[in-house]
Amino acid sequence: MLATVLAACAAPIGGTTSPVDGVWRTDGYGWIISVRNGQAETFDTTSVSCLPNRTLTQLEGPAPDGTVQFGNQDGAVETLRRTPDDQGALRLLGTAADIDLVPVPELPEACTRPVPNDPVTNFDVFWATFAENYNSTVRKNIDWNAVRAQYRPMVNANTTPDELYRILVSMIRPLGDAHASIDADDRSFAAKRQGTRDEHDVSRRDAIDAVDDHLHEDLRVTDIQTFANNRIAYADLPGGRGYLRITSFEKYDRDDNVFPANSAVLTRTLNTIFTQARINAWRGLIIDIRFNTGGDDELGLQVASRLTNTAYTAYTKDARNNPTDPNSHGRLRTVTVTPYDGPRYLGPVRLLTSDLTVSAGETFTEAMLGRTPAPSRVGTATQGVFADDMERKLPNGWTFTLGNEDYFAPDGTDYEEVGIPPTTQTPVFTPDELAQHKDSALDAPWPELGSFH
């Protein structure tokens, strides 16, 4: 899902004013955004802290509806607009829905003074951020106050960075949540659901090589095309099937990772793959997201838009919005798949998924559930982390992430923590499959289409 971009800004537009000038508070998320002089400065807030996160520059004049783009030297990162009720809306580009904004009279006093950088304050900011925003405290039956009682006595003014890092990792490891992570200088940790794998257990290279070997040697595929910085691949399979592999929904452009650049690359890639001649020839399309590490939800929606003639609900989502009540959520947002204005494929689709299908890979899977005809799903359940990554900073400069949102499938099911199950269970990238060059998920029978051979 979308990681916060922390980058240097382009030069501001001198003396710029805009319809969104002022100070805004997000409904949930714990952000304060101050807009003035052509810049939007975001602060991460908790009950014990206010820390500057990033400063973005206004890129151009307001759109006809008053929307203003802000970004850095690589391009647009977010938009803000004032709504008719004199509230506001923030869109982090690449995410699937707006965030409500409430105007506040001025920047809170806490945001005008530095936050101490000492071990105890770093601990308190970390703990408070999870206490006030984490989406699964109730779901996982976690007493976060008990976590504080256990670990805070271990921290004092003399706690070393190594000791603090180990303490913070010990706090989030039991969450079993791939969106609970920490990057501390040259060290990093991300949790994972019990009994599942991550890139430390199965490498992306080994998985891709195994699939490609199977395509070449067993299915006699002669040409595998790669696109989008090698994160998308396509091959024509025997039996009139197409094979589309997507290993992430980000980093499609070698020069930067802002959403507009990635979206443009994806559009060109899909135009190359989804030709009218190929669509007419397909008897079925396999979309392989078994090893998909996530990225931008909007890119998944772009792919889904090539697979329908009618608009339909992809999913709904909401976010925690009360720091002291984990059951309180903001306005429920409906996200829609809108048909692409060009060639679209309407026939049978099969999704290949696994526990290595993470975040935006999962929201794409969810966005396909409402398609007609619905895709079959082969492999194993996805990882079970759907929320956009909420990236925060500690006073010492370390960054960490957590999820603060819930996504609901069209039937209302929330697959957070458990993942989206397959309709047909098969092994995926197990040691046995990799060693024997087997691919049970790709080769699984598709009765209405017959054999590959």
Side-chain angles (χ1 to χ4, degrees):
M1 306 292 245
L2 185 74
T4 304
V5 179
L6 299 172
C9 299
I13 305 170
T16 296
T17 60
S18 78
V20 295
D21 279 9
V23 182
W24 303 90
R25 174 181 58 81
T26 55
D27 183 36
Y29 302 88
W31 291 324
I32 294 288
I33 304 174
S34 174
V35 184
R36 62 188 181 91
N37 296 329
Q39 293 189 322
E41 186 174 12
T42 299
F43 298 83
D44 298 336
T45 69
T46 71
S47 58
V48 299
S49 62
C50 179
L51 285 160
N53 181 310
R54 67 183 180 189
T55 301
L56 300 173
T57 297
Q58 183 175 331
L59 299 183
E60 55 188 31
D65 67 351
T67 297
V68 182
Q69 286 192 345
F70 294 88
N72 53 41
Q73 70 273 15
D74 294 324
V77 173
E78 67 186 29
T79 65
L80 284 84
R81 61 183 173 86
R82 193 177 294 271
T83 55
D85 56 0
D86 208 31
Q87 304 293 293
L90 165 70
R91 173 64 69 93
L92 304 179
L93 298 184
T95 64
D98 289 345
I99 296 170
D100 286 335
L101 295 173
V102 179
V104 295
E106 59 186 7
L107 195 64
E109 194 273 333
C111 299
T112 66
R113 62 176 187 263
V115 177
N117 177 18
D118 60 74
V120 173
T121 301
N122 281 293
F123 177 95
D124 286 345
V125 172
F126 186 84
W127 180 87
T129 303
F130 275 86
E132 297 171 15
N133 297 281
Y134 185 49
N135 62 1
S136 292
T137 305
V138 174
R139 182 177 12 251
K140 295 176 183 289
N141 195 28
I142 296 164
D143 185 344
W144 199 241
N145 289 316
V147 172
R148 184 179 188 274
Q150 177 182 356
Y151 288 102
R152 195 175 191 274
M154 301 179 186
V155 184
N156 57 55
N158 297 317
T159 300
T160 67
D162 284 345
E163 291 168 339
L164 181 62
Y165 175 75
R166 287 195 294 269
I167 288 169
L168 300 185
V169 168
S170 296
M171 292 168 65
I172 62 176
R173 187 188 301 274
L175 301 180
D177 187 330
H179 276 167
S181 71
I182 183 167
D183 283 283
D185 303 322
D186 58 347
R187 296 158 296 183
S188 64
F189 171 81
K192 58 185 175 184
R193 180 161 56 88
Q194 186 174 8
T196 65
R197 304 164 297 173
D198 61 18
E199 290 182 86
H200 295 95
D201 303 305
V202 181
S203 79
R204 186 194 306 263
R205 187 70 266 160
D206 286 349
I208 291 174
D209 286 349
V211 175
D212 286 352
D213 286 347
H214 183 67
L215 292 174
H216 285 306
E217 297 172 13
D218 300 309
L219 299 184
R220 300 293 186 263
V221 171
T222 58
D223 184 25
I224 303 173
Q225 298 174 276
T226 59
F227 308 89
N229 200 14
N230 294 318
R231 284 167 167 77
I232 298 177
Y234 177 78
D236 291 309
L237 303 185
R241 266 160 274 208
Y243 171 79
L244 173 62
R245 180 173 65 227
I246 307 173
T247 60
S248 77
F249 287 108
E250 64 179 352
K251 299 181 180 177
Y252 291 166
D253 190 288
R254 292 183 183 273
D255 296 326
D256 59 63
N257 193 37
V258 293
F259 171 74
N262 286 323
S263 178
V265 172
L266 181 59
T267 295
R268 294 193 296 271
T269 298
L270 296 178
N271 286 344
T272 301
I273 295 170
F274 283 75
T275 64
Q276 193 61 60
R278 183 172 278 142
I279 287 172
N280 292 342
W282 281 337
R283 297 179 60 233
L285 175 63
I286 296 170
I287 304 179
D288 187 350
I289 48 173
R290 286 174 293 177
F291 205 118
N292 185 298
T293 50
D296 291 336
D297 288 349
E298 277 283 359
L299 297 180
L301 295 173
Q302 279 186 234
V303 177
S305 75
R306 305 285 181 134
L307 301 167
T308 182
N309 257 1
T310 58
Y312 67 88
T313 296
Y315 40 79
T316 56
K317 59 180 290 191
D318 59 19
R320 273 195 62 178
N321 72 342
N322 186 325
T324 62
D325 182 0
N327 292 307
S328 177
H329 293 79
R331 186 156 56 95
L332 190 68
R333 305 288 189 153
T334 299
V335 178
T336 302
V337 175
T338 303
Y340 176 71
D341 184 18
R344 301 182 294 272
Y345 173 69
L346 308 178
V349 171
R350 166 162 287 182
L351 298 181
L352 308 185
T353 67
S354 81
D355 52 343
L356 300 166
T357 307
V358 183
S359 196
E362 300 184 83
T363 64
F364 168 70
T365 304
E366 194 162 55
M368 292 294 292
L369 298 181
R371 179 186 186 264
T372 302
S376 56
R377 305 186 304 277
V378 177
T380 61
T382 64
Q383 178 64 220
V385 288
F386 291 76
D388 295 324
D389 273 339
M390 189 167 76
E391 184 175 293
R392 306 296 284 261
K393 291 178 68 176
L394 294 177
N396 64 6
W398 294 356
T399 60
F400 64 102
T401 64
L402 64 155
N404 71 318
E405 304 166 323
D406 279 286
Y407 282 58
F408 303 92
D411 67 358
T413 302
D414 186 350
Y415 290 105
E416 187 76 16
E417 188 180 12
V418 296
I420 299 174
T423 52
T424 300
Q425 182 99 11
T426 70
V428 174
F429 303 139
T430 62
D432 178 66
E433 294 251 320
L434 293 173
Q436 299 186 38
H437 304 288
K438 294 168 57 179
D439 198 328
S440 299
L442 183 57
D443 291 343
W446 199 341
E448 62 268 38
L449 300 188
S451 168
F452 276 124
H453 306 291

